[in-house]
Amino acid sequence: MRRLFPVTDRTVHAEGREWSLDELAEAYAYPAGGRWLRANMVSSLDGAAQHEGRSQPISSATDMRIFGTLRGLADVVIVGAETVRLEGYRPARAREAFAERRAAAGQGPAPAIAVVSASLNLDFSAPLFTEPLVPTLLLTGASAAPDRVSAAQEAGAEVVVAGDGPGVEPERAVRALAERGLTRQLTEGGPRLLGQLVADGVLDELCLTVSPLLTAGKAQRITGGPALKVPERFVLASLLEEDGFLFTRYSRA
């Protein structure tokens, strides 16, 4: 079963068939003008963001189509170093389905990947650094180890300082990316990074897939870190359903 609950005027009708990439691109289009940071995460019914350390077991084919669509619309994908290591991140690829749309928006063939890392403890021989269509960005602090900075640069990565200490300050990171023309921003977590973005008040939108699975265990939620003193209210922008999976989109109130 596929349903759309038309919370906004962005509607997708796909009774008995899968949503086309064009339909999904329209449903998830970025608002016009200015920087916009959205997150894309998946959670089980009991709040797990992962199963056995990875998100794939609680995902679905349609969730992955939406994942690809959100990447196809973004200028940059922001991701934490731990997620890069756990999920085996690779460079974003150019997709013919989004080529015309990206060209019309003045975008390159694929989004850049921006990795947030204080230690720069990453495998610079991995495809993320050796095979990207556009150079991978590394967001780090001013006191990052010089030898790791040099290793990153030798591997072809662009190091962006976004913090005065060892770590990254979220507001500075998203501002630095926007100053490079990367205003359509997407983060895929992990939970610690998303928690930092929420705590700093820079997240504009959450695209959350609710998976109809129960996992039990002690898996992380989609956000980690200290709790907010006052919970922040987001409003439901759209809701799609397929086979019990809910594909939600919430924006800042």
Side-chain angles (χ1 to χ4, degrees), residues 30 37-42 49-50 55 63-74 76-84 87-93 111-116 128 185-195 197 203 205-207 221-223:
Y30 277 85
L37 173 62
R38 64 169 34 141
N40 181 33
M41 301 291 283
V42 60
Q50 306 161 339
S55 59
D63 183 46
M64 295 310 298
R65 283 175 65 80
I66 291 174
F67 173 95
T69 298
L70 295 181
R71 281 195 165 199
L73 298 174
V76 61
V77 178
I78 308 168
V79 63
E82 185 64 14
T83 297
V84 167
E87 302 277 358
Y89 256 60
R90 299 182 65 86
R93 58 190 178 93
I113 304 292
V115 182
V116 177
L128 182 59
Q185 300 176 357
L186 169 68
T187 181
E188 296 168 350
R192 184 170 64 175
L193 173 60
L194 184 53
L197 297 171
L203 186 70
E205 180 181 308
L206 173 63
C207 299
R221 297 160 50 195
I222 66 166
T223 58

Side-chain angles (χ1 to χ4, degrees), residues 29 33 44 59 204-205 207 229:
S44 68
S59 181
D204 299 299
E205 180 181 308
C207 299
K229 290 183 179 180

Side-chain angles (χ1 to χ4, degrees), residues 15 27 44 57 75 85 108 121 126 128 156 171 191 194 207 210 214 247:
E15 290 296 327
S44 68
D75 295 326
R85 290 187 286 263
N121 181 23
L128 182 59
E171 194 280 330
L194 184 53
C207 299
V210 181
L214 294 169
F247 306 100

Side-chain angles (χ1 to χ4, degrees), residues 135-222:
T136 294
L137 303 170
L138 285 175
L139 298 164
T140 193
S143 60
D147 62 323
R148 297 306 297 165
V149 172
S150 296
Q153 292 171 331
E154 289 171 6
E158 180 181 349
V159 177
V160 180
V161 174
D164 293 329
V168 170
E169 299 167 21
E171 194 280 330
R172 283 184 60 177
V174 298
R175 186 174 72 245
L177 294 172
E179 288 171 351
R180 287 166 168 74
L182 306 175
T183 58
R184 303 174 186 90
Q185 300 176 357
L186 169 68
T187 181
E188 296 168 350
R192 184 170 64 175
L193 173 60
L194 184 53
Q196 292 169 344
L197 297 171
V198 170
D200 237 38
V202 296
L203 186 70
D204 299 299
E205 180 181 308
L206 173 63
C207 299
L208 176 65
T209 295
V210 181
S211 171
L213 299 173
L214 294 169
T215 68
K218 298 180 179 179
Q220 279 188 300
R221 297 160 50 195
I222 66 166

